[in-house]
Amino acid sequence: ESEVEAVEADTSTTSADETTTAETATEESSTEESTTEEQQPQQKDEEEEAQPTPPPAQTGPFIDLFGEVLLSLEMVDETHAQVHQHYTNEVLSGKKVVGLYFSADWCGPCRQFTPDLVNFYEKMNARRGKKDEFEIIWVSRCRDVDSFGQYFTHMKWLALPPQEAMGQRGQY
């Protein structure tokens, strides 16, 4: 479910971008006063702020291991979640410890351990003076994207995108 919602959000963004592009092309082709032309760059700046910026050039060991994007999950309510993408170097900036959690929905011991790890994660990141210095990256061993989405709802940390975790990068 969460994966479908994320795709729907991306689709609506794409349609909005297409609409904005069509409107901008219409405005550029019409001949209006110079004040309107002066406002266009400002409108484009506002549009660029609304759109995700192109990924910054990322290099380093985190990129080599995890790729350029990591995911987080925000629960909207009890049955709906929103997937967010983060640039790897930005989201791991300032982290003193980064742990890897290899786990799957079909693994009974993993499912039993995950709530304990969630508690540990929250305690580590709530420490006074050392807040948010600890991160976990989940490397899924789920067999499909739907299982990934369902199991990810039990976690508070970042994840390798499922296509990466199920592909060659997840095999390190």
Side-chain angles (χ1 to χ4, degrees):
E1 261 183 81
S2 60
E3 191 65 32
V4 172
E5 291 175 21
V7 170
E8 289 174 3
D10 290 342
T11 304
S12 65
T13 303
T14 304
S15 349
D17 291 346
E18 290 169 0
T19 304
T20 304
T21 305
E23 290 171 1
T24 305
T26 305
E27 289 176 30
E28 289 174 355
S29 64
S30 65
T31 55
E32 298 180 4
E33 296 178 11
S34 61
T35 55
T36 305
E37 291 175 11
E38 290 172 7
Q39 290 174 353
Q40 284 180 358
Q42 189 175 25
Q43 289 172 349
K44 288 181 183 178
D45 288 343
E46 290 171 6
E47 291 170 8
E48 288 173 6
E49 288 176 18
Q51 298 175 7
T53 56
Q58 298 187 89
T59 59
F62 287 143
I63 303 306
D64 295 341
L65 288 172
F66 309 125
E68 294 189 359
V69 175
L70 294 172
L71 305 178
S72 67
L73 190 82
E74 175 187 9
M75 293 302 296
V76 177
D77 58 37
E78 289 184 20
T79 58
H80 296 87
Q82 180 68 44
V83 174
H84 299 282
Q85 292 188 355
H86 306 274
Y87 298 128
T88 301
N89 282 341
E90 288 178 12
V91 76
L92 295 178
S93 176
K95 303 298 182 185
K96 304 260 185 202
V97 177
V98 177
L100 300 180
Y101 182 42
F102 293 82
S103 179
D105 66 311
W106 50 262
C107 172
C110 298
R111 291 188 69 85
Q112 289 176 343
F113 177 69
T114 298
D116 294 334
L117 188 56
V118 168
N119 289 334
F120 177 77
Y121 177 82
E122 289 174 338
K123 285 178 188 174
M124 290 295 291
N125 282 322
R127 296 174 303 160
R128 188 176 24 211
K130 297 186 185 273
K131 187 177 174 112
D132 296 327
E133 291 182 353
F134 176 70
E135 189 57 71
I136 295 174
I137 299 172
W138 176 43
V139 182
S140 171
R141 292 297 183 220
C142 296
R143 294 184 175 123
D144 57 57
V145 174
D146 290 336
S147 299
F148 170 92
Q150 289 294 321
Y151 192 32
F152 197 19
T153 63
H154 299 277
M155 302 175 195
K156 306 279 186 186
W157 45 78
L158 300 170
L160 207 61
Q163 64 275 17
E164 293 281 345
M166 293 177 205
Q168 183 178 6
R169 190 176 303 279
Q171 304 305 313
Y172 288 143

